[in-house]
Structures are given as structure tokens and as C-alpha cells.
Amino acid sequence: MKQRVKIVIRGAVQGVGFRPSVYRLAGELDIKGWIINSSQGVFIEAEANEEVLDSFLKRLDTDKPKNSFIQSFEHSVLDYYGYTDFEIRESSENGSKTALVLPDISTCPDCLGEILDPANRRYLYPFTNCTNCGPRFSIIKDLPYDRANTTMGEFEMCPECLAEYKNPADRRFHAEPTACPKCGPELFLLESTGKPIADRLDAMYQSVIYINEGKIIGLKGIGGFQLICDARSDLAVSELRKRKRRSEKPFALMFPNMETIKQECEVSPAEERLLLSVEAPIVLLKRKKNIKSIVSGETASGNPYYGIMLPYSPLHHLLMRELNIPIIATSGNISEEPICTDEYEVIEKLKGIADYYLVHNRKIQRHVDDSIARIAAGRQMILRRARGYAPLPVTVKGIKKPYLAFGPHLKNTIAVNKGDNVFISQHIGDLENIESINAFKKVTRDLQSFYEIKPEKIICDMHPDYISTKYAKELDKEVEQVQHHYAHILSCMAENNLECTDDVREILGVSWDGTGYGIDGTIWGSEFLQPKGKYFNRVAFLKPFMLPGGEKAICNVWRIGFALLYDIYGEKVFELKGIEFLNKTHEIELIKQMLDKRINSPLTTSMGRLFDGISSIIGIKNEANYEAQAAMELEFAADDCVTDEHYNYSILVKPDNSCIICWHEIIRGIIADMTAGVSKQIIAAKFHNSLAEIIIEISRKFKPKKVILSGGCFQNKYLLERAVNRLREEEFKVYWHQRVPTNDGGISLGQIKYSAYL
Ligand code: ZN
Ligand code: ZN
Ligand code: FE
């Protein structure tokens, strides 16, 4: 199938023969489209078959001119357009030029070569960088981007570094964070009390010894602290779990090289490209079956994926070369707080978690987590947008004035726009503790001052009790509120360059997630929406069910399971066989009373919670240790199952033509399968398939040309791929997220898109 790919490349790609080389490559591969230079980078649109585009994407990097260097490479798939030739378009420079703040860039091959070369003056120097690589966003205090405005300002360059810095022919010409062992930052190893016990390379070598002994090290990296330890050691990993009070949520891993990753995981060419990209995110990779993994079972138990990244800073490279084993590299924070960035504060904050701290004296100006990405439905999908991506802009046409969007409550990011450029902040986290809220406020100040934006209005969520909503209303600005699920759809439209048209039927948005405040005051989460600019039609959603205990049900998911069954079977629920949680006789009685009397049992149409409930009914998970765990394990249960079977469901059409999707029959079908001894794998797959069929049926009824899939549920690879394939079979055009998270991390972009309609 022919596709169009939009590519944005930033870095040293201008004035080095990059455009002619792309032109030649396009000619060779018979690719149609265009290339253009702008102050924002090089933009390319390319059309060809999928396989040809794959090799184009790869060769843009491998075949680039000698003096060019890519600092950021983002691409997304768009609708096929039908270009007839490939042209170099004239640069158009209209509108204000916005200086870009570059993200932190992984170590380039030249710098890596230097730190491994005994004859080089930067041999084994962990803070080596150049114009093409190194920290940026995490060290910038202010614009313009020059050394004095970074946290490197306090290091005076030695004569050799200064000579390189001033020499236009040198790779370090105006490399603001440049440094060497003589003049730059240094390493220190601290005891858990903060007492220094080693410095420079001794600190690194001693850390290697400690890691091999099973100790836990707090490592000051690029955008914050990571907690690292030997990933092979059950003892070390379970100790880390205990100390971090993180019982089951998977830990990210860092592997020494691609070869060792391939021993553990299936790696497709697209996944390999993502792992090796300059952005160097954590990539979710399918674990190989039937091998004895060298990684401890405590790392990601019950999860068929590992989140793996490759070394991306000189310090990581040096450590990994010495260690040559996979390590856990999880964020250095307490539960959902932002990662620690300061070696003084970390001693208190991570007290009792790390045995030692490997730190340095280059200050981190702002926290930037490791990003997370995966390949799903054949495309890249960013799940957490931070290091390597933030704060690069996404282009959204038609926004007249500058706005500031406060984002969602969980997985918060914020966004500002300057003209068509929307700058999405790095991942901030859940705004549920004072640390995150402070980080949120800091980032809002940060982005506004970077881009000198005085927003006309603040856009926030509709939930009256959210911290972000309350904060928005405290400020001396006009505030607009956007419904959460509509923001999801607008976010996906923004990234796919889609616009509302006069025909409201043109687009149908499927917005499925865990929680969002609905305009009727209930908790929504399974919405089918027709976008109409400032407004939308809510045309279908799940039959509402009760969440006994409200928030509590998100952890005790069996409560949801019971509420669903009780809704269907009433008192007869107790006659059902094989439902584990029905043994909780005393607790069940309390929940039953809550439901009967409707005490603290808010109504919801949340798809995420339906997943949770069903996960508990079929005995996969009764208690979730972190949000969406039960739902995710239901997805994993369906892993590798090949079946097209699905359960029956019914759709009730209301007088206003909107639809209520009833899940009763689905659950009756599940109970019948359980009684008949059908495997959990097949039940889970049939449940997922039923949801895809529901999307098809609602789409058939409302006849959109374009169907948009957004919301946290579409992180579920099985659901996303099934829905995409089925929609394509039925000849709908289908759109989902690529560069911006489908989860709540994408909400701030949707809120900015909303402002185009104000
Ligand atoms: Zn470099
Ligand atoms: Zn120097
Ligand atoms: Fe959401």
C-alpha cells in the first residue's frame, strides 16, 4: 500500500548538501514528494510503498552527506496524497522565527570514538560532547542558547577547549556544553550519607564493583537520577522493589549493545532503528519465548515485553563497557514524583533506596525523564515524550493567538504555541503531590519564558477539582475548559493534520481511556465523538456502571468485577462458579450494600475500568498495584492468540440517535466460556475482538470517512492493531497517534488544538 511520510529533521543538515543528497536518494528509490529547508529544520514529504519508505527512512541517516549531522529525526505517516515528482521547494520564511530549544541528544559516534581512544585527550571522559550531541534542554537556563545561559557557564574553558570552540572548522565550534577532563565537570561517588568516597574515574570503577556486588546506585544522568543495579540479580532487583516500594510495575533496562538485546528480545528493523535513533528512547520489545532470560524475573514479571534502551551518554557508555551486563535503569524518584535532579536533595529524597550515588557537578536545570516508545500497527508510537523529543514543536495550522494549555491530571504535560508551532513540555507526571505540582508550575514558567509567549488564554481540563483547573482559575487570565475525551480526539487530529469540516459525519473519534470528567458530571471513558470545532456530539458510549468506592476501585479492581456481575445477575451472582473474588464474603457484602444504596459509587462509562473489571472476573488480576495494571494483564493474556471469534453485544439506539453499548452479553459470554473451560487466552482475545467489532458497528451506523483512535486504551497493541485492521477491511480511513502520546501525555496538544476554535 502506498503511504505518505512526513519527516522533520533537525541538526547540522543545512548548507552541507543535505537537500541534493535527499533528492538523489528519492530519485534512486522512485520516491515522490518534496523537501524544504526552514529555520525550523528540514521538512520532507515522501510517498512510496511501505517497504520503500522504510528503506528511505533508514538511508536518510546512513547515506547522509559527510558533514551533516542529525540531532532530531521525527516522522509520522499521513494520508496518501499522490505527488507526481520529487522536488526541492523554495524555502519560505514568513512569520516570526522561533529559536528552537533542542532536546538532549545521545552521544554521537565521533565523541564515542574519542572517549574510547587512549591517545585522545578526552579518553574516558564522561562529559564529552560536541555540536552534534550532548545535553541541551536539561542544562539551558535561558535563551539565547550560549554557554553563559547554561549550567556549563560556571566551568571556564581551558585554552584547548576554547580554541576548538572558536574554530569554525572544528566539530566543537560553538558547542556550548563542551568540556574536557582539564576544565569540565567531574564525577564523584558518595556514600548514602552524602560522604564522598571517590572521584573521577575511580568513582566510576568503584561503582562498577558495587553494581557487580549487587548494590543499588543512584546515577546522576542527563535529565535526572536513575536507580541502577545488576538486572541479572534477583536479590538486587527485589531489593530495589522493596526499597522503592514498587511491587510489580516493570523496571526499564539498559543493555550494553544491540547484540545482547537480540539475545533476549525479538527486534524488528523498525524497532532497531528506534533503539539506535538519536532520541534513544526506552523501546518496548517482545521477549523471546522458550529461552532462559538472563534478566531477573523480578524485572517485569507477567509482562511479555521488556522496556530497553541503549547507552545514550558518555557516562552510560563507559559504565556499560565495564559492566557488559544488562542493568535496571529506573527513574530515581519516589513513586510518581518527578525524578530527582540534584545530588544534595537526592541524599534526603532517595534515603534508604540507593546504597551509593554516582554524581557529577554539572547542574541539571530541569528534569527530563527517559522517553518510552514502541512499534504498533507498523508505526512508531511515543508513549512518554521527554528526553530526545521535548520540547520540539508539533505543527498545528490555524491557531491565531498564543495559548497555554495545562494538560491533564495524570501523566501531565503542558503545551504552549507560537503561531503554528506547538511546544509540548516534557513528561511531568501525576499532579498528586507537592513535588509534581511544583514541577508543573516551573515548567509552565519555563516554556513561556523560552518562547516569550504571553498567552491570551489558559486552556485546562473540565474537572472542577483538578489542581490544574484550580490553578488556572487563580491566575489573572481568561480560562477555557475542554472536555478530556474531546481533547484526546483533537490531539490525534492535530498530529494527523485533520480538520473538522462542514459535514459533521466526516470524522468519528473513538476516545477510550481510564478516566475523564464528562460534561454530565459522571466519569467518561468510552466515548464516540463527532468533532464540531468548539463543540462535539457524543454519539455512543458504554452503558454506565458503578465504581464502588470510587478511586478505590482503581486498585481493588475486583470491586468493578463485582459491580458488573451484580448489574447483570443481581442476587443470582452468588450462584456463579469459578469467580475468585466471590470468596471475599465479608467485603463483597459491604460492596453489595454500597451498590444497593448507591453510596460512594459514581457512575462511569470508562473503557479502562471495563477492562479492569473483566480482568478480575476471569481471574487474571483482582488487585492492581498501579493504574491500568489489571487492564494491561488482560491484554497480555490475549498475546499471540489467533482467533476472529468475539462475543455478542447489544447496542441500544436512543431517540436522539445516540447509542448505548451494552456489555451484559459480553460478560454472559465470558461466564459461559469460563464454565465450559475455555482458556483465559481465548477469552481475553474474544473480548478484545468484541471491542473492535463494536467500533466497526458504530462506524457503520454513523458512516464517517475517517475514524480516529485516541486515549490510553490504544496503548494496548492487540486492541489498536485489531481495530486498525478491521476498520481498513471495512474501508474506513483510520488514524492514531505516532509522535504524541495516545495516553494523557497528549492531552495538552489537544487543548491547544481546541484554541483554534475559540
Ligand atoms: Zn558528539
Ligand atoms: Zn578543556
Ligand atoms: Fe485520558
Side-chain angles (χ1 to χ4, degrees):
M1 194 172 71
K2 285 212 172 181
Q3 287 187 331
R4 175 167 53 136
V5 178
K6 175 176 154 184
I7 304 159
V8 191
I9 300 175
R10 296 179 176 95
V13 287
Q14 282 148 314
V16 288
F18 194 75
R19 279 182 303 169
S21 97
V22 173
Y23 185 82
R24 278 192 300 274
L25 183 59
E28 184 190 325
L29 296 173
D30 196 23
I31 280 168
K32 311 295 182 206
W34 49 262
I35 178 168
I36 201 168
N37 250 345
S38 86
S39 59
Q40 301 287 319
V42 171
F43 290 75
I44 303 170
E45 286 201 7
E47 288 187 339
N49 286 327
E50 221 172 314
E51 309 83 69
V52 177
L53 286 176
D54 262 349
S55 92
F56 182 62
L57 288 173
K58 198 165 162 201
R59 288 182 59 187
L60 277 178
D61 184 29
T62 55
D63 298 10
K64 64 181 181 295
K66 207 170 162 294
N67 290 323
S68 63
F69 192 84
I70 293 173
Q71 292 170 323
S72 154
F73 187 114
E74 291 193 280
H75 72 275
S76 48
V77 182
L78 299 178
D79 275 348
Y80 181 68
Y81 179 83
Y83 294 116
T84 52
D85 57 358
F86 193 89
E87 56 174 348
I88 299 183
R89 290 194 177 169
E90 282 302 312
S91 315
S92 64
E93 290 302 353
N94 41 28
S96 67
K97 282 183 194 164
T98 303
L100 283 185
V101 179
L102 280 177
D104 302 301
I105 305 158
S106 62
T107 308
C108 76
D110 289 338
C111 286
L112 184 58
E114 287 178 347
I115 62 172
L116 300 177
D117 172 10
N120 193 285
R121 69 189 192 92
R122 289 189 175 85
Y123 180 53
L124 303 182
Y125 182 55
F127 304 96
T128 303
N129 63 75
C130 71
T131 327
N132 299 328
C133 75
R136 297 286 187 276
F137 187 45
S138 63
I139 58 163
I140 297 175
K141 294 199 271 190
D142 207 350
L143 288 181
Y145 174 53
D146 59 34
R147 189 172 177 104
N149 280 336
T150 72
T151 61
M152 281 300 290
E154 54 198 72
F155 295 91
E156 198 180 327
M157 278 185 244
C158 69
E160 280 162 297
C161 284
L162 192 62
E164 293 167 343
Y165 181 85
K166 286 188 165 168
N167 176 7
D170 197 278
R171 204 173 88 243
R172 295 198 168 85
F173 179 56
H174 274 278
E176 307 304 340
T178 187
C180 80
K182 257 191 224 155
C183 65
E186 290 170 28
L187 284 179
F188 300 93
L189 184 65
L190 311 178
E191 275 183 351
S192 59
T193 54
K195 188 178 140 215
I197 46 172
D199 65 4
R200 303 199 166 216
L201 285 175
D202 286 344
M204 204 249 315
Y205 290 126
Q206 191 57 46
S207 304
V208 169
I209 293 171
Y210 285 142
I211 291 167
N212 279 323
E213 282 174 1
K215 297 282 194 290
I216 296 164
I217 310 280
L219 171 74
K220 186 177 176 188
I222 297 287
F225 273 82
Q226 292 172 322
L227 287 161
I228 65 175
C229 70
D230 183 350
R232 303 167 310 168
S233 160
D234 288 341
L235 223 57
V237 184
S238 56
E239 187 61 27
L240 178 57
R241 286 216 175 275
K242 208 164 76 199
R243 294 188 195 172
K244 224 190 150 191
R245 275 179 255 133
R246 173 152 151 167
S247 56
E248 292 182 8
K249 198 170 178 180
F251 282 138
L253 293 153
M254 183 176 280
F255 271 59
N257 48 47
M258 189 62 71
E259 199 186 311
T260 44
I261 296 179
K262 286 183 175 172
Q263 285 162 12
E264 291 284 329
C265 296
E266 311 286 350
V267 184
S268 71
E271 286 162 341
E272 182 161 351
R273 204 169 62 224
L274 196 49
L275 282 163
L276 294 169
S277 67
V278 281
E279 289 83 3
I282 297 167
V283 182
L284 302 186
L285 298 169
K286 192 77 172 279
R287 292 158 62 170
K288 279 189 176 161
K289 292 206 172 96
N290 313 319
I291 59 151
K292 173 117 186 50
S293 174
I294 61 163
V295 174
S296 163
E298 302 280 328
T299 306
S301 87
N303 194 316
Y305 298 89
Y306 280 143
I308 301 182
M309 62 192 139
L310 284 167
Y312 56 83
S313 75
L315 180 53
H316 286 120
H317 279 290
L318 294 172
L319 271 175
M320 293 310 278
R321 271 180 189 252
E322 287 299 320
L323 285 163
N324 205 24
I325 52 166
I327 58 169
I328 301 291
T330 184
S331 18
N333 60 2
I334 313 156
S335 62
E336 300 302 319
E337 289 188 7
I339 41 172
C340 297
T341 51
D342 182 278
E343 58 270 30
Y344 300 102
E345 132 200 315
V346 85
I347 304 296
E348 271 310 303
K349 282 265 167 76
L350 299 185
K351 200 172 191 164
I353 300 183
D355 297 305
Y356 299 94
Y357 299 94
L358 180 56
V359 304
H360 55 75
N361 53 352
R362 182 176 71 202
K363 283 201 190 91
I364 296 174
Q365 180 65 21
R366 63 183 57 72
H367 83 279
V368 191
D369 291 78
D370 291 319
S371 294
I372 306 176
R374 83 179 322 173
I375 301 290
R379 294 180 190 172
Q380 183 179 306
M381 189 179 212
I382 311 278
L383 302 174
R384 181 161 81 197
R385 199 178 149 94
R387 180 183 48 76
Y389 302 98
L392 287 178
V394 172
T395 318
V396 178
K397 292 252 174 340
I399 313 172
K400 286 147 257 154
K401 290 172 177 161
Y403 296 91
L404 166 62
F406 271 3
H409 186 66
L410 301 177
K411 295 192 171 70
N412 180 274
T413 60
I414 65 137
V416 295
N417 73 295
K418 192 161 192 174
D420 293 348
N421 282 322
V422 182
F423 300 94
I424 306 171
S425 77
Q426 74 272 39
H427 165 83
I428 298 171
D430 301 348
L431 301 184
E432 300 210 300
N433 51 69
I434 194 75
E435 302 292 332
S436 306
I437 294 162
N438 287 339
F440 163 81
K441 291 181 177 172
K442 181 170 178 235
V443 176
T444 51
R445 284 193 299 270
D446 245 16
L447 280 196
Q448 288 179 83
S449 78
F450 269 159
Y451 299 109
E452 295 174 325
I453 291 170
K454 296 213 165 31
E456 287 278 319
K457 287 182 183 177
I458 294 173
I459 322 284
C460 68
D461 196 86
M462 204 168 250
H463 201 302
D465 301 332
Y466 280 178
I467 298 280
S468 54
T469 310
K470 289 182 176 162
Y471 183 54
K473 292 186 171 169
E474 278 169 23
L475 299 172
D476 189 22
K477 284 257 189 272
E478 227 182 293
V479 175
E480 291 275 350
Q481 293 178 274
V482 192
Q483 200 282 322
H484 183 95
H485 300 95
Y486 190 40
H488 271 303
I489 297 304
L490 292 174
S491 170
C492 195
M493 285 170 63
E495 100 148 283
N496 285 289
N497 288 354
L498 298 180
E499 204 33 85
C500 300
T501 63
D502 293 340
D503 183 359
V504 73
R505 288 170 310 172
E506 170 115 357
I507 296 175
L508 180 65
V510 186
S511 195
W512 285 3
D513 69 357
T515 302
Y517 189 82
I519 51 176
D520 58 2
T522 68
I523 306 163
W524 289 7
S526 60
E527 318 311 309
F528 286 79
L529 308 174
Q530 288 174 329
K532 294 195 291 184
K534 195 172 175 187
Y535 306 98
F536 59 85
N537 294 334
R538 184 190 188 207
V539 296
F541 50 89
L542 284 179
K543 173 178 150 59
F545 51 94
M546 284 196 265
L547 288 180
E551 289 279 295
K552 262 200 162 159
I554 297 175
C555 306
N556 310 142
V557 291
W558 60 268
R559 290 171 179 233
I560 307 172
F562 180 76
L564 295 170
L565 292 177
Y566 191 53
D567 195 79
I568 303 172
Y569 299 98
E571 290 296 329
K572 289 212 164 103
V573 63
F574 298 105
E575 292 166 21
L576 295 176
K577 299 271 176 295
I579 311 277
E580 243 173 65
F581 59 73
L582 290 177
N583 298 334
K584 302 176 186 273
T585 344
H586 179 65
E587 287 157 289
I588 288 282
E589 188 50 41
L590 287 174
I591 299 299
K592 192 165 99 58
Q593 283 178 28
M594 283 171 87
L595 293 168
D596 284 340
K597 296 180 185 151
R598 298 182 171 251
I599 302 167
N600 189 19
S601 297
L603 280 175
T604 186
T605 61
S606 163
M607 184 55 79
R609 301 287 94 86
L610 183 69
F611 265 87
D612 285 345
I614 285 177
S615 184
S616 74
I617 290 172
I618 65 179
I620 290 173
K621 202 82 196 165
N622 284 323
E623 308 279 343
N625 283 290
Y626 53 93
E627 209 242 341
Q629 184 189 15
M632 280 166 61
E633 294 197 7
L634 183 57
E635 171 192 355
F636 301 152
D639 201 40
D640 288 340
C641 185
V642 186
T643 177
D644 287 328
E645 276 185 79
H646 61 84
Y647 295 110
N648 291 333
Y649 49 84
S650 50
I651 290 176
L652 176 84
V653 182
K654 295 201 292 182
D656 66 357
N657 209 26
S658 66
C659 299
I660 294 182
I661 302 148
C662 183
W663 34 267
H664 280 200
E665 273 185 76
I666 296 180
I667 292 180
R668 284 181 194 277
I670 289 172
I671 298 289
D673 272 355
M674 286 170 71
T675 315
V678 175
S679 74
K680 285 178 187 172
Q681 188 197 28
I682 292 180
I683 295 176
K686 283 173 73 176
F687 171 66
H688 281 79
N689 294 350
S690 314
L691 300 182
E693 291 317 305
I694 287 169
I695 294 176
I696 295 296
E697 184 149 344
I698 300 291
S699 299
R700 280 199 199 121
K701 176 166 166 45
F702 290 96
K703 301 187 175 56
K705 288 201 183 77
K706 300 167 179 172
V707 178
I708 290 172
L709 308 175
S710 186
C713 290
F714 293 103
Q715 294 176 105
N716 180 325
K717 190 171 181 303
Y718 187 109
L719 178 65
L720 175 75
E721 292 181 346
R722 181 88 194 173
V724 167
N725 291 338
R726 286 289 295 117
L727 283 162
R728 282 181 174 160
E729 276 172 21
E730 303 281 323
E731 295 186 350
F732 293 102
K733 277 191 174 169
V734 50
Y735 302 85
W736 64 97
H737 288 270
Q738 301 170 65
R739 288 168 66 197
V740 175
T742 189
N743 58 47
D744 285 3
I747 287 287
S748 59
L749 174 64
Q751 292 175 340
I752 291 281
K753 170 79 180 161
Y754 181 79
S755 63
Y757 305 118
L758 294 175

